[in-house]
Amino acid sequence: MNGPDAAPATQFAPLWRRLAAGLYDLLPLAAVVMVGTALLFPFTRGGIEAGTAWYQAWLVLLAFAYYGYSWRRGGATIGMRAWRLRVHSADGGELPWGTVALRFVIALLSVAALGAGLLAALFDARRRMWHDRAADTIVVVIAKRR
């Protein structure tokens, strides 16, 4: 079906665009971490020793809150919105919390593996990274509004 009513073809997000969105997301994530750390000050008397295991876990929880909430509600983080990207399940639906959690954990492993899990998008027809494959999600480019 061609014409004005034809649905646009799905454009899978290229690696460069996804990395740009990821870099952009470091700004709001930094704000979340700063506020989350400030909330601890009354309980820690203003000091947290570097490398403390519970604090590292707190930071991971804050990151999960940012990414998880964003992916679950609207399918995009602030960086993804800026770069017109959206994540959804392979069947086009919203992501349930279990999928969001799996995607987040595998994304951490992807980065920890020196970015190998991110570069996997270069070798996948749908440009999926490890966390996309594990959670059965895809990231697409949102068409510009006319």
Side-chain angles (χ1 to χ4, degrees):
M1 175 170 150
N2 292 331
D5 295 330
T10 300
Q11 181 184 358
F12 300 113
L15 178 62
W16 71 267
R17 198 172 191 147
R18 293 183 68 176
L19 293 176
L23 286 174
Y24 192 108
D25 275 323
L26 293 177
L27 294 172
L29 182 60
V32 168
V33 166
M34 284 189 261
V35 170
T37 299
L39 291 174
L40 297 176
F41 285 169
F43 306 105
T44 62
R45 298 185 183 146
I48 302 170
E49 196 167 322
T52 306
W54 68 265
Y55 181 62
Q56 300 300 319
W58 175 246
L59 294 177
V60 170
L61 182 64
L62 291 173
F64 175 72
Y66 171 71
Y67 287 103
Y69 180 79
S70 298
W71 292 337
R72 177 81 176 104
R73 188 148 167 89
T77 61
I78 292 170
M80 292 172 75
R81 290 178 195 278
W83 285 91
R84 295 188 355 263
L85 301 176
R86 183 175 185 276
V87 62
H88 55 78
S89 65
D91 65 5
E94 288 185 354
L95 305 182
W97 278 109
T99 300
V100 166
L102 175 64
R103 190 171 197 275
F104 179 78
V105 169
I106 302 300
L108 288 179
L109 295 174
S110 295
V111 172
L114 303 176
L118 307 179
L119 296 177
L122 294 172
F123 308 101
D124 186 275
R126 294 188 285 171
R127 298 182 177 151
R128 295 173 299 167
M129 297 175 177
W130 284 355
H131 50 282
D132 297 314
R133 294 178 65 98
D136 198 24
T137 59
I138 56 172
V139 178
V140 296
V141 177
I142 301 168
K144 285 185 180 180
R145 293 184 187 193
R146 294 183 182 210

